[in-house]
């Protein structure tokens, strides 16, 4: 006669333990990618993206343009992505999916805007027209730096955080989890009732308690 044992095979791991470990790893990676990506994108938009010269009466006048001069989209989307990363923990179920989608779209938009700004010359053209006094003037000797691509890399990290949230977000805890771990309200502790005090008995009845029942303590 054979017997079946409930002891798990050595080296095996319960499914819930694997899911919990995957949730912790994906959560840590998403937080790192989202926060780092937003910081990198914001830093990159404050750096010099392009430089050139404008022809003025005294000769060539040097001009430079920061990322914020070229486009404000990457910085704005990086802030939106950072807010969405925090908001992921404040919502559940379908709300978490929508916020995770917003996080991913913020990263994708940051990448697209940064790459488009890598070859943009409109900001320097405006500065050249202002410096020369000629509205039709354009910048000369135009060159670009690598900072737009750094901003795009930051956006890619935000996008990765959003994809992780879409894939593993259901395994992550919510902000209210420390108070209601299983979604049910905690039972209210009954207050002691003195049978010799009629007002205590009436208060107990108002709370829905049985003043004639056994003492909960």
């Amino acid at each position: 006669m054979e017997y079946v044992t409930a002891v798990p095979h050595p080296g095996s791991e319960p499914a819930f333990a694997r899911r919990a470990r995957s949730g912790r790893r994906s959560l840590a990676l998403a937080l790192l990618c989202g926060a780092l990506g937003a910081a990198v994108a914001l830093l990159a938009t404050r750096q010099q993206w392009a430089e050139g010269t404008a022809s003025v009466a005294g000769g060539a006048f040097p001009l430079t343009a920061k990322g914020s001069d070229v486009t404000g989209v990457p910085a704005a989307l990086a802030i939106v992505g950072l807010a969405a990363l925090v908001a992921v923990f404040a919502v559940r179920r379908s709300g978490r999916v929508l916020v995770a989608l917003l996080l991913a779209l913020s990263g994708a938009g940051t990448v697209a805007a940064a790459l488009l700004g890598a070859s943009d010359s409109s900001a320097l053209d405006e500065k050249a027209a202002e410096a020369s006094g000629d509205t039709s003037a354009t910048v000369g000797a135009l060159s670009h730096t690598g900072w737009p691509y750094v901003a795009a890399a930051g956006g890619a990290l935000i996008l990765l955080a959003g994809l992780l949230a879409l894939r593993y977000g259901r395994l992550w805890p919510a902000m209210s989890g420390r108070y209601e771990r299983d979604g049910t309200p905690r039972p209210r502790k009954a207050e002691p009732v003195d049978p010799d005090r009629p007002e205590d008995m009436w208060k107990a009845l108002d709370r829905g308690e049985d003043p004639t029942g056994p003492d909960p303590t």
Side-chain angles (χ1 to χ4, degrees):
M1 183 175 180
E2 297 181 355
Y3 295 92
V4 179
T5 178
V7 179
H9 188 274
S12 64
E13 185 180 17
F16 72 88
R18 291 196 300 269
R19 293 182 61 189
R21 189 175 71 251
S22 297
R24 290 192 298 269
R25 290 179 176 177
S26 60
L27 172 59
L29 182 58
L31 288 175
L32 176 62
C33 290
L36 180 61
V40 168
L42 289 173
L43 174 64
T45 58
R46 299 181 180 181
Q47 308 304 315
Q48 180 177 313
W49 281 25
E51 59 183 357
T53 59
S55 298
V56 295
F61 184 76
L63 298 172
T64 60
K66 295 182 179 181
S68 56
D69 298 328
V70 176
T71 174
V73 175
L77 289 180
I79 295 175
V80 171
L82 192 60
L85 181 64
V86 176
V88 165
F89 302 98
V91 293
R92 296 182 179 182
R93 299 182 180 87
S94 59
R96 175 166 293 184
V97 174
L98 292 176
V99 174
L101 182 60
L102 175 61
L103 177 60
L105 291 177
S106 299
T110 301
V111 173
L115 293 179
L116 289 175
S119 57
D120 186 87
S121 62
S122 59
L124 285 180
D125 287 340
E126 292 179 1
K127 290 189 175 184
E130 182 179 354
S132 63
D134 182 3
T135 56
S136 63
T138 58
V139 66
L142 177 65
S143 63
H144 295 84
T145 67
W147 283 107
Y149 302 100
V150 176
L157 290 175
I158 299 175
L159 173 59
L160 177 58
L163 295 178
L164 288 171
L166 285 171
R167 175 63 178 85
Y168 299 101
R170 67 184 186 280
L171 304 178
W172 297 352
M175 287 183 178
S176 59
R178 61 178 295 186
Y179 302 105
E180 297 178 1
R181 298 189 179 276
D182 58 353
T184 59
R186 292 186 176 182
R188 183 176 181 180
K189 184 178 179 180
E191 298 180 5
V193 177
D194 186 355
D196 296 331
R197 295 174 58 88
E199 61 271 20
D200 286 356
M201 300 184 69
W202 282 112
K203 290 179 180 178
L205 290 172
D206 290 338
R207 293 193 299 267
E209 301 171 4
D210 183 8
T212 62
D215 189 351
T217 59

